[in-house]
Amino acid sequence: MMVASNQYAFKGTLLVDEPMAKHTSWKIGGKVDKFYTPSDIDDLAKFISDLPADEKIIFIGLGSNLLVRDKGVRGTVISLKGSLSDIEPLDDNCLRVGAGASCAKLARHCHRNNLIGGEFFAGIPGLLGGALAMNAGAFGGETWPVVKSVITINKKGEIFNRTACDYVINYRSVKGCENEWFISADLQFENGDGDAAALRVKQLLAKRAASQPTGLPSCGSVFKNPENDYAARLIEACGLKGRSIGGAVVSEKHANFIINTGNAKACDVEDLILLVQKKVEKEHAVKLQAEVKIIGEADNE
Ligand SMILES: Cc1cc2nc3c(=O)[nH]c(=O)nc-3n(C[C@H](O)[C@H](O)[C@H](O)COP(=O)(O)OP(=O)(O)OC[C@H]3O[C@@H](n4cnc5c(N)ncnc54)[C@H](O)[C@@H]3O)c2cc1C
């Protein structure tokens, strides 16, 4: 249901009882109480500071790393899709990029402007905010090494300038400043040959499309790679390719992907995640850690 935004004196768009399945790449997820897309930073600050103090707030990008449980999310989801997406050149090969800019747009901007070091963003089907939260990476590159500083917002609508020193950053993990969310980042690149970079990226994407089920509903890699090994190798060695629960199946093309074949529920995916973890631990004594973020109410809550 759509609520006229001016009824609330906010400039963004507020949806209530919004199915999260419409906002995740798995196309799975129950309803969220409130789903807000801000029009700009001031509007975002006003909206979140007006929410009740105990309201649960979750920021999302393109939901490309999110499993939303079937009973949905109590509280407010702030979506940056279509919002805060400006890319502004600063001095010295540096860009100020809104957290709502897509990683693909950022990669394109870099190579069109002969900036090098951001090619890996082309492999991440999310927004910059999600990439910052995940330290997303591809093709040997990662988000945080190109970050000079970030701007964040808290629940009171206060704005902060942060640097990498304020966080503990690891492979697909960023911890620190827990009650703040990313609204933009200053990213540092090098001067170089944009056309050559674009060609390299095209080749890497083609290689990836040959080995991953990129066109099907998934969240990419479900598990982090354990040190010195690959989650996909371990899962495949357990004979789990093609293993399904309900509408969720371990991809035949790449064992670290779980596909929604059309009617999967979040509980199917979550059960399959647990099954894979148990089997890999039993057969290889490795405890796989989920890369995907799981949110929302479970059936027993
Ligand atoms: C086909 C496919 C391939 C993929 N390949 C890769 C890959 O090569 N490398 C890789 O790293 N990932 C990959 N992913 C996973 C995913 O694209 C990345 O994790 C991406 O960074 C998530 O971005 P998003 O905008 O979709 O974030 P979401 O999935 O919407 O959110 C992810 C997490 O970030 C948090 N978050 C989102 N925005 C903000 C914000 N503004 N401030 C604070 N927290 C925020 C959310 O609360 C959530 O915890 C792939 C996914 C798919 C579907």
Side-chain angles (χ1 to χ4, degrees):
M1 172 191 166
M2 178 89 134
V3 178
S5 53
N6 58 7
Q7 185 181 334
Y8 292 85
F10 298 118
K11 293 188 284 168
T13 308
L14 178 66
L15 306 172
V16 297
D17 287 338
E18 175 68 0
M20 286 299 293
K22 286 163 68 177
H23 305 283
T24 63
S25 56
W26 248 324
K27 302 186 192 307
I28 292 174
K31 292 177 179 173
V32 61
D33 298 339
K34 295 187 213 116
F35 184 95
Y36 192 69
T37 307
S39 65
D40 53 36
I41 293 172
D42 288 346
D43 177 60
L44 171 64
K46 186 167 180 347
F47 182 82
I48 52 177
S49 59
D50 262 32
L51 290 170
D54 60 350
E55 179 87 349
K56 188 157 186 235
I57 300 174
I58 299 173
F59 273 55
I60 66 160
L62 296 185
S64 62
N65 202 44
L66 268 189
L67 180 62
V68 182
R69 290 187 171 123
D70 302 307
K71 283 176 79 179
V73 180
R74 304 291 68 81
T76 297
V77 163
I78 305 284
S79 165
L80 296 189
K81 185 180 174 190
S83 175
L84 314 190
S85 62
D86 287 349
I87 299 181
E88 182 194 338
L90 305 173
D91 289 345
D92 237 7
N93 299 331
C94 185
L95 299 175
R96 175 157 298 168
V97 185
S102 78
C103 295
K105 173 179 160 180
L106 172 58
R108 270 195 310 275
H109 182 97
C110 284
H111 73 70
R112 282 179 189 158
N113 290 280
N114 289 320
L115 295 174
I116 303 299
E119 296 89 313
F120 71 91
F121 280 115
I124 299 164
L127 305 184
L128 179 65
L132 289 165
M134 295 301 306
N135 191 21
F139 315 142
E142 257 184 1
T143 302
W144 275 85
V146 299
V147 172
K148 258 178 102 173
S149 60
V150 293
I151 299 177
T152 64
I153 191 166
N154 72 5
K155 207 166 173 178
K156 293 181 185 162
E158 296 164 331
I159 303 288
F160 302 88
N161 250 293
R162 303 275 183 207
T163 65
C165 301
D166 295 308
Y167 300 90
V168 178
I169 298 159
N170 283 303
Y171 162 61
R172 303 297 175 268
S173 164
V174 178
K175 295 207 157 54
C177 308
E178 303 299 343
N179 296 312
E180 295 170 23
W181 300 279
F182 301 109
I183 52 177
S184 74
D186 288 0
L187 305 179
Q188 182 69 60
F189 300 106
E190 307 281 320
N191 247 156
D193 182 345
D195 288 343
L199 186 66
R200 209 163 48 243
V201 165
K202 207 172 155 195
Q203 289 162 348
L204 288 166
L205 287 173
K207 203 170 151 196
R208 167 183 279 207
S211 64
Q212 297 181 359
T214 46
L216 298 172
S218 80
C219 76
S221 293
V222 173
F223 300 102
K224 297 183 191 183
N225 286 322
E227 237 177 296
N228 304 320
D229 209 338
Y230 293 96
R233 189 195 74 76
L234 295 167
I235 299 165
E236 186 169 353
C238 290
L240 287 169
K241 272 186 165 180
R243 183 65 182 263
S244 65
I245 294 182
V249 62
V250 176
S251 167
E252 292 279 3
K253 199 167 177 183
H254 193 296
N256 199 11
F257 279 55
I258 291 180
I259 305 296
N260 173 8
T261 58
N263 60 352
K265 293 186 173 149
C267 61
D268 298 336
V269 175
E270 211 170 340
D271 288 348
L272 197 49
I273 288 173
L274 290 173
L275 183 150
V276 169
Q277 279 172 324
K278 269 193 192 151
K279 190 108 198 261
V280 169
E281 188 166 14
K282 191 166 168 226
E283 295 198 9
H284 298 283
V286 175
K287 206 171 177 124
L288 288 180
Q289 278 183 20
E291 179 174 323
V292 58
K293 301 287 183 189
I294 303 177
I295 62 169
E297 286 184 332
D299 281 343
N300 54 3
E301 281 178 55

